[in-house]
Amino acid sequence: MSDCIFCQIRDGKLPASVVYEDERAMVILDLFPIREAHCLVIPKTHAPLLEQLDSSLTHHLMDLARRTIMAQKKAGLAVRAHNVVVNDGREANQHVPHVHVHVIPRRGGDTLATAFTWATRLLNVFGLARRRKRLDRLAGLLGEHFPEAAKSLTINSE
């Protein structure tokens, strides 16, 4: 879709701080992060709602979210927990109508700051060039620690 921000990023028409990319999806840093290293996991297939993706791609997105969490921890960031969020539809606060998974690192004791940032994050459009440089450096660090995909997935039901 030509007017979709994430499709334009996928096509190289808009810049992004890319942590990881494969043939099906990409992990980028959010330009207006809730907390440092706030990532977005985005399918390359345009679909506004989660229900429009096939189960294989949905599983892949969640695996990338899991691997993003691992990279954030391995990179030495002060991470104690995560919010993994999908805003699925306009009424659920989805600002870009293209499925994406937020992976937001949490440090503990940051609830008030996180709530304030969440409410005001899209208002700050100043200093984008400086912010982009910082995000690009952080994307490189996370990319260095991004784990490879598991060769096979085995679930024990014992």
Side-chain angles (χ1 to χ4, degrees), residues 5-156:
I5 293 169
F6 294 149
C7 290
Q8 290 178 41
I9 289 170
R10 174 200 64 205
D11 296 340
K13 295 177 182 174
L14 286 177
S17 299
V18 179
V19 173
Y20 173 84
E21 183 174 8
D22 61 30
E23 66 282 347
R24 301 175 72 195
M26 58 193 323
V27 178
I28 65 173
L29 284 162
D30 194 307
L31 187 56
F32 298 99
I34 300 301
R35 307 298 318 140
E36 181 185 36
H38 174 173
C39 291
L40 302 175
V41 180
I42 304 167
K44 289 187 174 181
T45 301
H46 181 82
L49 300 172
L50 192 59
E51 67 195 47
Q52 297 168 331
L53 297 178
D54 66 43
S55 63
S56 173
L57 183 52
T58 303
H59 290 147
H60 184 62
L61 297 178
M62 289 310 295
D63 184 57
L64 289 177
R66 179 186 65 83
R67 291 163 58 197
T68 299
I69 288 169
M70 294 169 68
Q72 290 169 338
K73 289 179 177 179
K74 287 180 183 178
L77 302 177
V79 177
R80 300 177 108 186
H82 286 81
N83 289 114
V84 178
V85 179
V86 176
N87 298 321
D88 197 39
R90 183 174 176 214
E91 291 77 7
N93 201 34
Q94 182 184 25
H95 294 284
V96 178
H98 183 124
V99 172
H100 54 287
V101 180
H102 294 264
V103 181
I104 306 167
R106 301 297 302 273
R107 284 141 178 89
D110 64 353
T111 301
L112 184 59
T114 299
F116 178 76
T117 304
W118 190 276
T120 62
R121 73 191 192 112
L122 297 177
L123 300 177
N124 184 6
V125 295
F126 302 106
L128 287 179
R130 187 171 32 138
R131 183 180 308 150
R132 173 67 62 209
K133 286 180 184 178
R134 187 175 68 243
L135 290 174
D136 286 346
R137 284 192 302 272
L138 184 55
L141 175 65
L142 292 172
E144 288 176 20
H145 298 303
F146 205 85
E148 294 294 322
K151 299 296 181 209
S152 64
L153 179 63
T154 305
I155 301 174
N156 293 330

